[in-house]
Amino acid sequence: MYKERLIIDYWYKKVNEFDDSKYLFDNYEEFPGGFYSVNKSNECFSFLQSISNSNALAEYSIFSSVFAALIKKYTQEDPIWLVSPSIAEIDSIKNGLVFYQIGINKDPSLKEIVNITKAEIENTLSFGSFEFEALKKQFNITSEKENRLLQYGFSYSPVNLEATNLKKVKLHLNIIKQNSQFTIEVRYDRNKYNTAFIENFVGHFLLLISDLSSLLLKPLNEIDILSGKEKDIL
């Protein structure tokens, strides 16, 4: 494990270099109250489970990669996203937080994003998790900066939201695996997102996951994430 000073410097570098000028919306909910949930059977995730060999860390990496790819496709940027390392074997970091930010080239395939994200996860977890409140105090992160930083969050349950700053994230996707099904939960800022947007976001996430086998090698910009219903509307 790295020395505490090095860990703090590592996290601060990520936070300090974050360009929050794109998130100047000034009417965020302090604790986002929007909630959306959908259940899907294991069959929808059969390819993901086969290539991950049902290993929790591998599943976590792939889910997180698709989440990163979707944000990239929506925003055309490489934003920071905040996650809970809840699958970690070390109890002391299960309710901690880590930042991920990956540099994605202009036209990556999903497979490239998975590999880039996997490397980021391995590198990041080697530093351990951190306590966000301590980081805020150490570097005098204002509430405005915090709001703009905590835009996207991802977790693969079990995770205790109340024990982390994920409860403040403006768009947080949580995946719960239970027996024969997966539950996709999204908590979101109702001042920033409406229900239709969230439903589409989850639908696009599930589309990428369920069709992963045919989309892995396809450039992200060429992947059509519009559903049949959305195409009819267009």
Side-chain angles (χ1 to χ4, degrees):
M1 183 61 68
Y2 291 84
K3 293 182 179 179
E4 184 177 358
R5 179 73 252 173
L6 185 59
I7 295 172
I8 291 175
D9 285 346
Y10 177 77
W11 296 125
Y12 178 61
K13 182 175 183 292
K14 288 197 173 189
V15 173
N16 196 43
E17 292 179 349
F18 171 66
D19 179 8
D20 64 354
S21 62
K22 303 177 184 69
Y23 305 101
L24 298 179
F25 185 69
D26 59 2
N27 192 31
Y28 294 114
E29 290 184 289
E30 182 180 5
F31 300 103
F35 180 77
Y36 177 78
S37 175
V38 62
N39 296 321
K40 290 291 179 180
S41 66
N42 278 350
E43 285 74 17
C44 295
F45 305 92
S46 57
F47 180 72
L48 181 149
Q49 292 182 89
S50 67
I51 61 175
S52 65
N53 201 25
S54 296
N55 175 274
L57 183 57
E59 290 177 356
Y60 165 85
S61 298
I62 297 171
F63 276 130
S64 186
S65 299
V66 173
F67 181 69
L70 195 54
I71 293 176
K72 173 75 173 181
K73 194 163 180 67
Y74 268 65
T75 66
Q76 296 302 308
E77 298 166 1
D78 296 323
I80 281 179
W81 74 102
L82 196 67
V83 305
S84 165
S86 55
I87 61 169
E89 295 179 359
I90 305 171
D91 289 339
S92 61
I93 75 170
K94 282 189 175 181
N95 289 327
L97 295 172
V98 292
F99 285 119
Y100 290 159
Q101 184 177 35
I102 58 177
I104 302 175
N105 62 40
K106 290 184 178 179
D107 198 17
S109 66
L110 267 181
K111 185 175 181 179
E112 288 175 307
I113 294 176
V114 170
N115 289 336
I116 294 169
T117 306
K118 181 175 179 291
E120 169 74 355
I121 288 172
E122 290 173 348
N123 179 55
T124 301
L125 288 181
S126 71
F127 282 85
S129 63
F130 68 96
E131 172 49 54
F132 190 78
E133 294 301 322
L135 190 76
K136 282 172 54 181
K137 185 176 180 180
Q138 178 85 23
F139 298 109
N140 193 30
I141 296 175
T142 65
S143 57
E144 291 78 13
K145 174 83 172 181
E146 177 185 15
N147 265 330
R148 297 197 291 268
L149 179 65
L150 304 183
Q151 289 293 317
Y152 307 107
F154 172 83
S155 57
Y156 192 29
S157 279
V159 60
N160 181 357
L161 284 182
E162 295 308 310
T164 76
N165 274 63
L166 282 171
K167 62 187 176 184
K168 294 184 179 180
V169 168
K170 311 314 171 193
L171 176 59
H172 171 233
L173 188 144
N174 181 37
I175 299 176
I176 304 169
K177 183 179 182 181
Q178 292 179 318
N179 301 321
S180 61
Q181 72 175 22
F182 285 82
T183 299
I184 314 297
E185 293 183 346
V186 179
R187 297 182 186 275
Y188 61 95
D189 190 318
R190 294 166 296 183
N191 289 341
K192 184 175 183 183
Y193 301 105
N194 60 38
T195 303
F197 176 89
I198 297 299
E199 289 176 350
N200 287 339
F201 184 86
V202 173
H204 296 160
F205 179 82
L206 290 171
L207 178 66
L208 292 180
I209 290 292
S210 61
D211 206 15
L212 199 58
S213 59
S214 63
L215 297 178
L216 261 182
L217 300 180
K218 199 169 184 178
L220 185 61
N221 288 336
E222 295 181 12
I223 295 176
D224 184 1
I225 59 175
L226 291 178
S227 67
K229 182 178 179 180
E230 287 170 315
K231 288 178 182 178
D232 289 341
I233 293 174
L234 290 175

